[in-house]
Structure formats: C-alpha cells, structure tokens
Amino acid sequence: MKYFKMKEFECRDGCEIPASARENIEALVDNVLDPVREAYGKPISVNSGYRCAKHNAAVGGVPNSQHMCGE
C-alpha cells in the first residue's frame, strides 16, 4: 500500500475491519488502486471503502455488497 492508508477504507460506523476484509483491501490497493494512482499521477480519493452489515443496510447497499468484503 504505497499511496493509501487503511484508515481511508474504514467503515463510517467506526466498526473494526475484519482480517479477511483487510487482506482484500490490501490486494485491491496493491493490484488496482496504487497502479492507477501511479499512472494517473494525482491523488485518488476513496469515498466508500469497507462497510459493516449494519452500515451497508443503512445506506441501501445490497446484501451481498463487495463493500462488506473489502473489495
């Protein structure tokens, strides 16, 4: 994770990101977001990262949302 911090992906409810979702977020950043940032040459903002089930339901997310997996 070169350009991003895990804090950027935290659920807005303040719940803890489970280990499996942390691993997925790290893979997403390493394989997609950092390379895109490198190519773009400018910062990229994360406006919705991990969501716990409660927060996902509150914002109208689908029950199988990739947000809940950190993807």
Side-chain angles (χ1 to χ4, degrees):
M1 292 183 64
K2 183 175 179 181
Y3 296 105
F4 296 87
K5 304 288 184 217
M6 190 60 69
K7 182 152 187 68
E8 295 176 85
F9 296 88
E10 291 177 351
C11 182
R12 294 194 178 151
D13 274 1
C15 58
E16 188 173 335
I17 302 173
S20 60
R22 284 183 172 276
E23 290 174 14
N24 291 339
I25 290 167
E26 288 174 1
L28 174 67
V29 170
D30 291 342
N31 296 304
V32 179
L33 297 179
D34 273 347
V36 168
R37 164 60 173 89
E38 189 81 32
Y40 186 56
K42 296 179 183 177
I44 297 171
S45 298
V46 176
N47 59 12
S48 185
Y50 173 75
R51 292 180 192 162
C52 65
K54 179 181 171 186
H55 182 67
N56 188 62
V59 298
V62 295
N64 61 343
S65 172
Q66 287 182 289
H67 286 282
M68 296 190 302
C69 300
E71 299 175 336

